[in-house]
Amino acid sequence: MWTEPKFWALWLAVAAFMEFWSMLLHGQLWHGVLWLSHRSHHTPRTGPFEWNDIFAVFHAGVAIAAIMAGLEYRIWWSAAIGFGMTTFGLAYFVVHDGLIHGRLPVAFLARLDGLRRIRNAHMVHHQREGGPYGLFLGPWELRRSLAVTRATSERTSPPAPEHP
């Protein structure tokens, strides 16, 4: 299993896919019908945990089950999916909970320009409680929404008056 390129390819593909999955869940469910739990993330935390952490616990449980089934029954794709989910979860935890929200001592990561942009995009999300909903693709989402806003305003703005 460990020496198969398809195992590693699926592992990495799932880790990347999880960003899109989290964007979908965050935008459609967490800021929708699951706002009651997610709202705790948008208010000051009073202890080490918040109700929003339940989403991470759920996904960790799915990943653990996939890894255990994959290893126990030698189902390579199940293990790869579980390890991909875990890889994304660990990266998310370090960047989101650690760097952005200070739950881990990783402030030094802000020296990296890309991680600083991710942090800034996420802070925009907290300021307006809307998009961007992705974490790692948050800066891209902001650039895209800015471009759409500019294009829309250019189409709807009246032409500038001509000066003689």
Side-chain angles (χ1 to χ4, degrees), residues 55-88:
F55 301 123
V57 171
F58 170 77
H59 282 92
V62 172
I64 290 167
I67 291 169
M68 289 177 63
L71 296 178
E72 178 70 27
Y73 301 108
R74 304 197 56 73
I75 306 168
W76 71 270
W77 53 266
S78 180
I81 289 171
F83 284 124
M85 291 177 69
T86 301
T87 300
F88 175 81

Side-chain angles (χ1 to χ4, degrees), residues 30-99:
W30 300 347
H31 280 262
V33 297
L34 297 176
W35 175 247
L36 190 62
S37 292
H38 185 62
R39 178 177 45 201
S40 68
H41 181 62
H42 287 266
T43 58
R45 192 173 51 257
T46 58
F49 301 104
E50 55 194 41
W51 276 105
N52 185 67
D53 293 335
I54 196 73
F55 301 123
V57 171
F58 170 77
H59 282 92
V62 172
I64 290 167
I67 291 169
M68 289 177 63
L71 296 178
E72 178 70 27
Y73 301 108
R74 304 197 56 73
I75 306 168
W76 71 270
W77 53 266
S78 180
I81 289 171
F83 284 124
M85 291 177 69
T86 301
T87 300
F88 175 81
L90 181 60
Y92 191 96
F93 179 63
V94 169
V95 173
H96 179 265
D97 293 77
L99 173 64

